Amino acid sequence: MDSVRSDRDASRARIPVALKILIAGGFGAGKTTMVGSVSEIRPLQTEEVLTGVDGGDDTSGVEGKRTTTVTMDFGRITITDDLQLYLFGTPGQDRFWFLWDELSQGALGAVVLADTRRLADCFPSIDYFEQRGTPFVVAVNCFDGERQFAPEAVARALDLDPDVPVVLFDARQQSAARNVLIELVEYVARRQLAMAGR
């Protein structure tokens, strides 16, 4: 009888904890690219061909963009046998924001991707997470050939709280995307410790 119970307890211990992280930001900031670069599984993508400016998509600054996410991107990373991260990339256009409330339920935190060519596009994401008290970091996607700004300058331009991390990265690079996720998890842990110490 005890051996049956210990087998059952051991099997329960192997069920991994799943943490949900949102990848948000403006249209064309690199959300789909980030999820695809860091996911250990083939990511689920809901990309559709752009219908053009008449469909409401402002492509200034990202004129080469031909597709857009219409529901979400999904990827997974196994940290240990007992811990997995589930990544949910949000759609970037206003007309799909009704999906955000569903996607954000139960999220540990979020990564807000910023594109300095269109920095104002990440304000709605920042406002969304600030209003809901969801911890987030800002990850500036450094596009080839574009001017780069220091994290402090981006934080000032976005009027972020001083404790919100801002990191520079390339969404195409797996190690860089992983480092952004590590920054988010560490930031969430710091916030929880600070709240517990009050």
Side-chain angles (χ1 to χ4, degrees):
M1 193 73 164
D2 287 339
S3 65
V4 172
R5 185 178 302 126
S6 65
D7 289 344
R8 199 175 303 139
D9 291 343
S11 68
R12 278 192 207 134
R14 282 185 245 132
I15 297 173
V17 172
L19 300 177
K20 182 179 188 180
I21 293 177
L22 298 181
I23 311 298
F27 174 69
K31 300 176 295 291
T32 298
T33 300
M34 180 181 176
V35 172
S37 73
V38 76
S39 178
E40 67 191 17
I41 61 170
R42 182 176 176 208
L44 167 69
Q45 297 175 339
T46 57
E47 291 279 295
E48 294 293 336
V49 176
L50 284 172
T51 56
V53 179
D54 59 331
D57 298 318
D58 174 13
T59 59
S60 57
V62 289
E63 289 83 3
K65 186 159 176 59
R66 300 286 175 251
T67 60
T68 186
T69 300
V70 295
T71 306
M72 68 172 181
D73 299 312
F74 174 78
R76 184 188 75 208
I77 302 171
T78 300
I79 305 299
T80 66
D81 289 341
D82 300 325
L83 178 61
Q84 293 181 344
L85 299 181
Y86 290 150
L87 308 176
F88 290 83
T90 64
Q93 301 93 325
D94 298 359
R95 66 182 182 273
F96 297 123
W97 283 354
F98 67 93
L99 298 167
W100 281 43
D101 288 337
E102 291 293 325
L103 290 175
S104 65
Q105 286 185 10
L108 174 75
V111 174
V112 175
L113 291 189
D115 176 352
T116 56
R117 299 170 299 181
R118 299 162 51 108
L119 195 59
D121 287 1
C122 67
F123 277 120
S125 300
I126 291 169
D127 290 343
Y128 182 89
F129 297 124
E130 283 180 343
Q131 289 172 7
R132 285 156 183 78
T134 303
F136 66 92
V137 300
V138 173
V140 180
N141 195 1
C142 299
F143 290 91
D144 292 337
E146 297 297 329
R147 183 176 174 199
Q148 291 190 17
F149 296 88
E152 299 78 20
V154 174
R156 280 193 306 274
L158 295 175
D159 194 28
L160 297 174
D161 288 338
D163 66 322
V164 174
V166 177
V167 295
L168 306 179
F169 88 123
D170 184 334
R172 299 169 298 181
Q173 296 178 356
Q174 181 183 37
S175 60
R178 274 184 171 263
N179 288 340
V180 170
L181 297 172
I182 290 168
E183 183 73 37
L184 173 63
V185 172
E186 290 176 347
Y187 175 56
V188 170
R190 287 193 304 269
R191 278 178 46 120
Q192 289 177 344
L193 283 173
M195 289 170 57
R198 287 181 184 171

